[in-house]
Each structure stands twice: as C-alpha cells, then as structure tokens.
C-alpha cells in the first residue's frame, strides 16, 4: 500500500482578504505547492537587497482563475506564478511584461532550452521563465496489479490493452476506479491534458493536425473529427459502457487529495497523470515523509500512454506543459521584480529544487549536471520528452479547453458521444465564428 504523507491532505485555505498593502516594495503570488522553490529564493533576495517581499501563497485549487481575475482587476502581485498555457492570452491582453531585454543581461538566461521558452512566448517575445516541464504517462499501483494477477512491468500497446487490463482489475479486485481517466469541469486542465489530449494524439494520424484541437495551417479550431469522436468513445467505454471508473471522484472537493488518498489505499489501478506523480503521490514539496526512490518504485510503476492501435496512428503519445513565473506589466518596480525572479531561478536554488523534487529540467546547465543525469527516474522519464508536443497555446485556447472539459463532463452525465460533439461544435462556432471552425470527415 502506498504510504501517503498527511501534508498532501492539508485543508484548503480561504482566498479572501488578501489585498496587497500599499507599502509593498515587491510582491509575489504563488501556489502553495511551489513553496520549496519560491521561499528560499525570497530569503536569498531579502538578504541580498534588504528589501521585504510581500509573499502571497494561495491554494492550488482555483489558482489559475484567481491570477487571471487579479490581473484583470489590477490587484495582482508584481511577480506571478503562471500555468504556461495561459501565458499567450495574458500577454496578448497586456498583463505581462516581456522579459527579453532584461533577460539578455542575466548571465543564466542562455541556459534555458529554446523550445521551452517558446511555450511561454507570444508574438516573438518571452513573457515568463519556466519552472519545469513535464511528460504524461499511465501510473499503476503494483499491489493492485499483483492482486489482479497482471504481469509487470506492464507495457500496453493499445487502448484495448489498457481497457482489458482495467476490466481484469475490476473483475479480480472489485475496486471502483480500475482506470481513472480525468474527466469533467472540476478536473479543469487535468481533464484536457492528462486525459483527453493524451488520447486524442493517438486517435488519428498526425497529418494535417487530424489528432489535435487546432489546425495550425488553416488557423482554425477543429469542431468535429474522427479523433475527437474516438477519444470520447474511449471516455464512454471507461465511464458508461464498462464502468471502469466513477464519475464522483472527478467532483471531489479536493480532487488531488482524493486521488492520492485512493492510490494510497489501493483503490485505483491505473491513473492517467504526469511525471510529477513520482513525488506528488506523497508530497509535491518533497517533505520529510517522502519515501526513498527505491521504496516508491516498489509501490508504483509507470508506462507510456499507448496510441489507439489504429493504422497510421502514433505508437505512444505525449504532451508537455509546465508552470512558469512572470512579471506583472504594472509592477511597481520592474527591475526589482526581475531581480526577485532571477534570484528564485539562480542555478543553486533552482537546480537543487529540480533534482530534489524530481522535476524535468528546463535548462541545459541543470539537465547536464551530475545530480540530474545520475537520477534513474529523471533519466528515464526525460526520454519521453524526445517525442512530445505542446498544447495549442493560441489566444482562445482557454475557452476551447473548457469546452473539452464540458464534453467529458457530458459523458460522465450519460450524454451520448454524438450529442456531446454536436454541442462542442456549436459552442466553438458561437465563440469563434463558423469561418474559424473546421470539420474533418
């Protein structure tokens, strides 16, 4: 059984009453799970400058929405943690400060991998520095697999292999969540990234973006396609046809805590998630209760997401995202804010955090360090990044992602695949205009 730290189940703090005091010289807003990177950087910055940082730590639940609201209201901090998928929209709205000019004068800027800076760029300008990137895979509970008589290491070659394994788990163990595929609006971006898009990429050929949400050559959102239909049919198989997972876990008050508690109690067989789980299944900040890597490997395993198995589709799929930290366009003192940013990302603090928390490196100096390269998990998981892609981070993506989440929620609610896609297509047309929506036969 997975032994889970109580730190992962700390009650969510309220978000009211956190207005910034007028006297603050420099302020930063970040999610609680990033404390182990941000807070040592704050301490180093205060020691070096004599300035006091107004640190605003918020719960991870609803964090992205809170940042967008504060930026729109003009009450956001000077330095802000961001999910990389929102950078293009926030930058296009004029909320973020471009970092290229100041970054060129920082002696560590050149170590960032260009492809990962592209993820946090808009219209040719970089607007944030990535904290990490990630890959996605299928995690599995070895105790559950042993109880179900499933051979390990598990290496499924198609969706059918995954479904057949989940059916065996359900039949042999009776657990409710044999294959937890994130779904529904409460799951937010996890439903889009960990579930829907990972399946979508393996549902049809990559040619002409037939396995994506956006056709980039034509500049249109894809409102209907065989890939979208096959992906929703997978959700239908999991939640309706075979009942391999429960809808209720996708609507838990704190989904992350609920999922990790279920894993700890051997109540999930297969979990569609990401590379962070090698730490986060116990404690995202790597607390003292974190078991050793050998102990964790004895409890859980992972395997790449297989493609659907249909002709001309990818054998395995991956999509990468990650978090970043940027500077508010309206920061009181932009140079001081940038200094706080670079202190957090100084090689010592940032490198230690990357390795200790088993995060995938975004800088060559860290990726090439002995501590990173000698870590077996990081070395193996990083190999998945050789064939990965990113989200369709174009203004409007947040709307599309929300509509994707609604499609999966519709499946949870018993809506047919046909009706869910019909509503999705209609919503895209309403939002972007018929001329900006394409259909694949």
């Amino acid at each position: 059984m997975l032994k889970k730290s109580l730190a992962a189940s700390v009650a969510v703090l309220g978000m009211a009453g956190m207005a910034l005091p007028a006297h603050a010289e420099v302020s930063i807003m970040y999610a609680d799970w990033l404390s182990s990177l941000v807070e040592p950087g704050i301490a180093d910055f205060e020691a070096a400058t004599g300035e006091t940082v107004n640190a605003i730590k918020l719960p991870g639940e609803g964090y992205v929405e809170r940042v967008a609201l504060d930026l729109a209201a003009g009450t956001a901090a000077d330095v802000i943690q961001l999910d990389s998928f929102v950078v293009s929209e926030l930058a296009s709205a004029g909320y973020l400060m471009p970092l290229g000019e100041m970054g060129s004068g920082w002696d560590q800027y050149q170590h960032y991998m260009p492809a990962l800076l592209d993820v946090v760029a808009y219209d040719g300008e970089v607007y944030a520095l990535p904290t990490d990137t990630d890959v996605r895979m299928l995690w599995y509970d070895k105790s559950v697999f042993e109880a179900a008589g499933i051979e390990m290491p598990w290496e499924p070659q198609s969706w059918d292999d995954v479904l057949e394994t989940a059916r065996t788990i359900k039949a042999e163990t009776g657990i409710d969540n044999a294959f937890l595929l994130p779904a529904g609006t409460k799951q937010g971006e996890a439903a889009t990234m960990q579930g829907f898009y990972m399946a979508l990429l393996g549902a049809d050929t990559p040619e002409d973006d037939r396995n994506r949400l956006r056709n980039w050559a034509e500049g249109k959102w894809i409102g209907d396609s065989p890939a979208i239909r096959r992906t929703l049919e997978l959700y239908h198989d999991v939640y309706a046809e075979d009942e391999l997972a429960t809808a209720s876990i996708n609507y838990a008050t704190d989904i992350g805590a609920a999922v990790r508690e279920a894993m700890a109690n051997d109540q999930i067989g297969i979990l569609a998630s990401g590379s962070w789980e090698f730490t986060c299944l116990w404690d995202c900040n790597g607390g003292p209760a974190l078991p050793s890597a050998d102990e964790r490997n004895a409890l859980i395993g992972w395997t790449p997401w297989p493609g659907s198995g249909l002709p001309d589709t990818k054998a395995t799929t991956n999509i990468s995202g990650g978090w970043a930290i940027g500077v508010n366009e309206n920061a009181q003192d932009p140079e001081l804010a940038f200094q706080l940013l670079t202190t957090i990302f100084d090689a010592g603090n940032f490198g230690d955090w990357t390795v200790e928390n088993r995060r995938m490196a975004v800088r060559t100096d860290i990726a090439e360090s002995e501590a990173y390269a000698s870590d077996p998990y990081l070395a193996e998981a990083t190999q998945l990044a050789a064939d990965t892609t990113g989200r369709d981070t174009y203004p409007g993506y947040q709307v599309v992602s929300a509509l994707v989440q609604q499609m999966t929620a519709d499946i949870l609610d018993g809506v047919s695949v046909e009706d869910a896609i019909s509503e999705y297509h209609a919503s895209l047309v309403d939002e972007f205009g018929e001329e900006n929506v394409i259909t694949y036969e």
Side-chain angles (χ1 to χ4, degrees):
M1 179 183 294
L2 277 70
K3 297 178 181 177
K4 175 173 168 289
S5 168
L6 292 177
S9 300
V10 173
V12 174
L13 297 174
M15 292 195 292
M18 293 186 175
L20 302 181
H23 68 272
E25 290 288 341
V26 61
S27 55
I28 183 169
M29 178 183 290
Y30 58 99
D32 50 11
W33 59 263
L34 200 64
S35 299
S36 57
L37 171 64
V38 172
E39 291 172 5
I42 291 174
D44 290 344
F45 173 84
E46 290 182 333
T49 64
E51 301 285 352
T52 299
V53 175
N54 182 11
I56 306 164
K57 180 162 62 175
L58 299 173
E61 187 87 14
Y63 178 82
V64 173
E65 294 78 6
R66 169 66 186 268
V67 166
L69 288 171
D70 282 8
L71 283 167
T75 58
D78 299 318
V79 181
I80 315 156
Q81 179 193 346
L82 305 158
D83 196 325
S84 60
F85 83 91
V86 303
V87 169
S88 64
E89 294 203 36
L90 296 177
S92 67
Y95 294 143
L96 301 178
M97 186 179 78
L99 301 180
E101 185 175 347
M102 284 195 287
S104 63
W106 179 40
D107 63 1
Q108 297 180 37
Y109 189 71
Q110 74 273 16
H111 295 304
Y112 283 90
M113 299 174 190
L116 295 174
L117 288 180
D118 286 345
V119 174
V120 289
Y122 173 71
D123 200 22
E125 289 276 7
V126 172
Y127 284 89
L129 297 180
T131 61
D132 60 334
T133 188
D134 48 42
V135 289
R136 282 154 177 76
M137 60 271 275
L138 298 176
W139 292 91
Y140 58 94
D141 185 318
K142 291 184 176 181
S143 295
V144 172
F145 270 52
E146 184 176 1
I150 299 166
E151 185 177 347
M152 294 177 281
W154 181 52
E155 298 175 343
Q157 303 301 303
S158 68
W159 293 355
D160 284 344
D161 288 350
V162 176
L163 291 172
E164 187 56 38
T165 299
R167 293 184 191 111
T168 300
I169 291 170
K170 180 181 177 182
E172 296 297 324
T173 69
I175 65 175
D176 292 331
N177 291 295
F179 174 28
L180 182 52
L181 185 63
T185 55
K186 186 73 162 48
Q187 282 272 19
E189 192 66 10
T192 307
M193 284 281 278
Q194 277 80 277
F196 191 91
Y197 223 135
M198 285 294 290
L200 184 71
L201 289 166
D204 202 349
T205 174
E207 186 178 354
D208 296 328
D209 290 332
R210 292 183 65 89
N211 65 341
R212 299 195 68 95
L213 294 174
R214 183 173 176 82
N215 180 302
W216 283 87
E218 296 195 29
K220 297 181 180 182
W221 297 105
I222 301 171
D224 193 350
S225 71
I228 293 174
R229 289 175 177 268
R230 290 168 189 157
T231 300
L232 280 189
E233 286 163 1
L234 175 64
Y235 273 88
H236 182 269
D237 288 344
V238 171
Y239 283 101
E241 183 70 23
D242 294 328
E243 297 182 343
L244 300 174
T246 61
S248 60
I249 197 168
N250 292 287
Y251 293 104
T253 301
D254 184 335
I255 296 174
V259 167
R260 285 151 193 159
E261 182 177 3
M263 285 288 285
N265 293 318
D266 301 327
Q267 292 300 308
I268 295 176
I270 305 163
L271 171 66
S273 193
S275 49
W276 55 88
E277 297 295 6
F278 195 61
T279 298
C280 283
L281 281 173
W282 289 270
D283 182 351
C284 280
N285 266 313
L290 189 68
S292 70
D294 286 343
E295 290 172 317
R296 282 173 278 165
N297 283 325
L299 298 170
I300 56 173
W302 62 270
T303 190
W305 251 94
S308 62
L310 293 172
D312 300 321
T313 59
K314 293 175 68 67
T316 62
T317 62
N318 225 303
I319 192 166
S320 297
W323 289 80
I325 304 177
V327 176
N328 188 338
E329 175 64 24
N330 294 316
Q332 291 185 50
D333 187 331
E335 291 187 1
L336 198 61
F338 186 74
Q339 185 177 350
L340 172 58
L341 181 69
T342 55
T343 304
I344 292 169
F345 282 108
D346 182 72
N349 184 52
F350 190 31
D352 289 347
W353 177 84
T354 299
V355 174
E356 289 170 5
N357 291 278
R358 300 316 197 272
R359 300 284 177 167
M360 292 183 63
V362 296
R363 284 170 39 164
T364 55
D365 57 340
I366 295 173
E368 293 167 1
S369 69
E370 182 179 353
Y372 187 93
S374 63
D375 186 286
Y377 171 71
L378 287 174
E380 190 173 359
T382 300
Q383 292 178 16
L384 295 183
D387 184 28
T388 191
T389 187
R391 287 169 281 196
D392 300 304
T393 49
Y394 183 85
Y397 171 80
Q398 286 191 77
V399 172
V400 176
S401 181
L403 293 175
V404 166
Q405 295 157 33
Q406 184 58 54
M407 272 200 296
T408 65
D410 289 344
I411 299 299
L412 295 183
D413 292 341
V415 175
S416 70
V417 169
E418 184 66 38
D419 287 347
I421 290 179
S422 178
E423 181 62 29
Y424 175 70
H425 184 279
S427 297
L428 284 178
V429 170
D430 286 346
E431 182 69 30
F432 300 105
E434 192 167 359
E435 70 279 7
N436 293 312
V437 178
I438 191 173
T439 295
Y440 285 131
E441 300 299 333

